[in-house]
Amino acid sequence: MLHAMRVYIPTTLAGLAEAYKAGEIGPAPLDAFAVTPSLREWYVSDDIEELEYAALTRAAQASLRLLALYPDVARRRVVVAVDVADGEVRHDPDRGLDPAALGEVRLAGPVPLTKAAAVHLDADGAEDDVRTAAAAVGAADTGDDDAQFTVDGAEDHELLWYATQEIPNLIG
């Protein structure tokens, strides 16, 4: 029997709209986040919900980095949770000990939107904090403590859960 794995793909609202139009999330390879052996080790937890939340949080951070690259898109972090076969997910065990790479995985092919379990998205009220965090993420990555404080401010906003049937309304 094939096992399914929950994988969190970071994107933007514009990326979600493209995926909806195409019927799949792509192009491949896709960088994403999941409960990897290194993530389990780092968080020292057997609680799968806690571990999945950690992977989701890592994906939200990656979505923030995408927002920093694309200043024209809506300032809301977007993560699509998908269920894919274990065999479709690759992770680099050599990077497993690097805290910056915790939970990182790569999907070799595009993922049909039918495999999406949910969409996680910032509420409208998070946009100002996400905007300033996206502007500061580059400096935070280089060790600027003030910038890191600004980035952490976006993480105070919980991503909201949406059913996949709600995607047309989210991107509309």
Side-chain angles (χ1 to χ4, degrees):
M1 180 175 153
L2 290 175
H3 285 90
M5 181 178 214
R6 175 69 44 101
V7 177
Y8 300 91
I9 302 173
T11 188
T12 62
L13 272 174
L16 183 62
E18 283 173 29
Y20 184 72
K21 200 165 67 182
E24 66 182 22
I25 305 166
L30 284 165
D31 292 323
F33 296 84
V35 178
T36 60
S38 60
L39 188 85
R40 279 182 194 279
E41 236 173 84
W42 182 265
Y43 283 92
V44 195
S45 173
D46 289 330
D47 182 341
I48 191 65
E49 283 184 15
E50 241 176 71
L51 293 166
E52 286 184 342
Y53 182 78
L56 170 64
T57 301
R58 303 279 296 137
Q61 292 165 349
S63 175
L64 188 66
R65 287 184 170 78
L66 289 173
L67 292 175
L69 294 175
Y70 301 105
D72 304 345
V73 301
R75 306 282 89 185
R76 292 166 77 187
R77 297 168 299 164
V78 181
V79 176
V80 181
V82 299
D83 293 317
V84 296
D86 282 352
E88 295 176 43
V89 181
R90 303 265 177 271
H91 73 278
D92 182 352
D94 296 337
R95 290 199 63 209
L97 300 175
D98 176 359
L102 281 179
E104 271 184 13
V105 295
R106 179 161 276 185
L107 298 166
V111 177
L113 216 45
T114 54
K115 291 188 176 188
V119 174
H120 301 271
L121 171 70
D122 273 314
D124 293 342
E127 285 193 35
D128 287 342
D129 287 340
V130 171
R131 177 179 294 104
T132 54
V137 75
D141 286 346
T142 62
D144 181 319
D145 289 341
D146 291 337
Q148 186 60 54
F149 182 78
T150 301
V151 169
D152 292 344
E155 291 183 16
D156 290 342
H157 296 276
E158 290 286 328
L159 295 182
L160 303 178
W161 181 96
Y162 293 92
T164 55
Q165 299 86 322
E166 296 177 86
I167 291 175
N169 299 334
L170 298 176
I171 59 178

